Amino acid sequence: MKMTKIIAASLVASSVLFAGSLADKAKSMGLQPIPIDKNELTKLTDPNGTITPERVELGKKLYFEPRLSKSGIISCNTCHNLGLGGTDGAPAAVGHMWVANPHHLNSPTVYNAVFFKSQFWDGRSPHLEDQAQGPMQAAPEMASPASLVVDRINSIPAYVEEFKKAYGNDVKVDFPTITSTIGIFERTLVTPSRYDDFLNGKDDALNDAEKEGLQVFMDQGCASCHNGVALGGTMMPFPMIKPYKFADVGDFKGDKKGMVKVPTLRNVTETAPYFHNGQIWSLAEAVQEMGRTQLGKNISDEDTAKIVTFLKALKGEKPEIVYPQLPESTATTPKPDFN
Amino acid sequence: MKMTKIIAASLVASSVLFAGSLADKAKSMGLQPIPIDKNELTKLTDPNGTITPERVELGKKLYFEPRLSKSGIISCNTCHNLGLGGTDGAPAAVGHMWVANPHHLNSPTVYNAVFFKSQFWDGRSPHLEDQAQGPMQAAPEMASPASLVVDRINSIPAYVEEFKKAYGNDVKVDFPTITSTIGIFERTLVTPSRYDDFLNGKDDALNDAEKEGLQVFMDQGCASCHNGVALGGTMMPFPMIKPYKFADVGDFKGDKKGMVKVPTLRNVTETAPYFHNGQIWSLAEAVQEMGRTQLGKNISDEDTAKIVTFLKALKGEKPEIVYPQLPESTATTPKPDFN
């Protein structure tokens, strides 16, 4: 109910004359920048104060750690590649034994996922620490029983040592601790862009075409769902007004109420193909399909081009990641299993 | 013929009293350090003067580039993981469509491969630039026809631009240029260790147990094949004296003369499982199996432990690799193909 009200309010707001600056208008419509102020950013990304440098460094190792998969060759980074906008560039992932995702679900980006209100396309997970438990255990993804993950990590003394450094000597290196540490690393994957500079008051951070694009983006109603810091990350009914063009691919219907998570638009030029089933490769086509299904309107080619110009400005600066050296296996480390 | 003479000479040398220092003795037996002197190192790693910072940076991107594979999810780094000693930790790799290597060949480390006299287990490739063409095209590895690799890269203007910066505006971004650039990056993957410091004159770089291990390593005859800068990298008959314990796994018989490449011992604690078919997981067992098959002797558990102590000191410092941001695909980029 609340959501519907918000949508309605946004749509009204976007169609009335707005007296303030474009940046102020954007903020009044729920668009929020990544804060410049470190404390403010921390409030958003680390509300429970779990982030420490030791945990981030360890979480990074685990993020790139293929031994968390049954086969030993699939890591978080395989499908959420930090060099490819945090995705795999495929409509839907294949995982262990080359099995395709049974719901034909597209691997969403991990960049800025910390700003999402919930995780997974159906929003079933409350946060990154919980989310990390899913793909690791899923048969068509990393296919690792939790016990295998725990056994692999605990068989490597250098890892256990790092967990002690990160959490204290009494730490139990169990599955929730391992996956939480990955979540903590993911909390740092934030990509500020020129768009943020603009919302943070630097008027010339966007050029005129990009500003016009932002204006059209709001006027057309895109910000009704693509808002907040992530320009997405909340649950919305999908499709809302007209059927989705590729509804026949995969059997994903969202949660019980047909709700689907709104994907972030940050770095959107890097995260094709689009939609939960990765069926649309062109950003322009994706914009128009959204107009049709969610807003019940045909967005003209001209307006679409303007919106796309704006969307390109959401490409952010990625944090520098030094590729981690992973500690070596020992005689007791469970062997890779390709079956 | 020449090789057999060298082996015989080494075996003799190792059994007679040597007047000089242990480091001098090691060098007299063909063991060579990674040079400290930059010019000397360049002579070894870049004899043709092809390395430039632009090519290394581009080669690094291509090394981590999964779009060089047909599926778009397998990169050089998948099987030669720079965080895992340059290997995948599996007996034999699986690749495209989860197909296992038909010869059950173990993925060799890419670290220090620049010091090998030839590439691949059967030594069929003369250098890294040539080697890189193999796995990319092999059906059970990356499964990319050369034309697909060329089309993918040329469809991404940011890549073409980088090739121009690396080779000049007239560069033809063809398959040999793409793979050569990966080879150029790989030339920089050199891992100096305490062992090198020792051979370079720092006597206390190895502790007494490690020095004793080196002594036993030489006395037992290991340096007959594991010599040069790589402690390996030349072609040798295998098995030489007794049959190999796991000869029934895979059908790899070396080249026409039964020659198999001697793997490097650098970072050997990180590159299990051992042998061309990855059948031995324990380093001690590998040492003893080598003694049996190649030297025709049983190396005692005590001597084996000493040798292993020395081998651990071959773990080197890996170059720091900043994980690359890869340029985004365009509308004309050939799509991932999982079939």
Side-chain angles (χ1 to χ4, degrees), chain B residues 20 27 30 38 40 46 57 74 114 121 143 180 190 197 204 220 236 256 299 305 334 337:
Chain B
K27 284 189 268 188
K38 277 211 164 182
E40 262 187 74
D46 190 23
E57 185 57 30
I74 302 175
V114 63
W121 281 105
S180 291
V190 166
D197 294 341
D204 62 353
Q220 288 285 2
M236 287 288 161
K256 282 169 201 159
I299 301 178
D337 181 352

Side-chain angles (χ1 to χ4, degrees), chain B residues 237-252:
Chain B
F238 175 80
M240 195 133 58
I241 294 169
K242 291 274 173 66
Y244 168 51
K245 205 163 158 181
F246 295 103
D248 56 334
V249 178
D251 60 2
F252 181 64

Side-chain angles (χ1 to χ4, degrees), chain B residues 87-109:
Chain B
T87 68
D88 55 10
V94 302
H96 190 75
M97 296 188 81
W98 214 255
V99 172
N101 183 295
H103 301 289
H104 206 97
L105 285 176
N106 180 257
S107 309
T109 181

Side-chain angles (χ1 to χ4, degrees), chain A residues 83 98 315 321 323 328 338, chain B residues 98 315 321 323 326 328 338:
Chain A
W98 214 255
K315 185 164 179 163
I321 308 278
Y323 196 68
E328 59 201 51
F338 288 114
Chain B
W98 214 255
K315 185 162 178 165
I321 308 278
Y323 196 68
L326 307 175
E328 59 201 51
F338 289 113

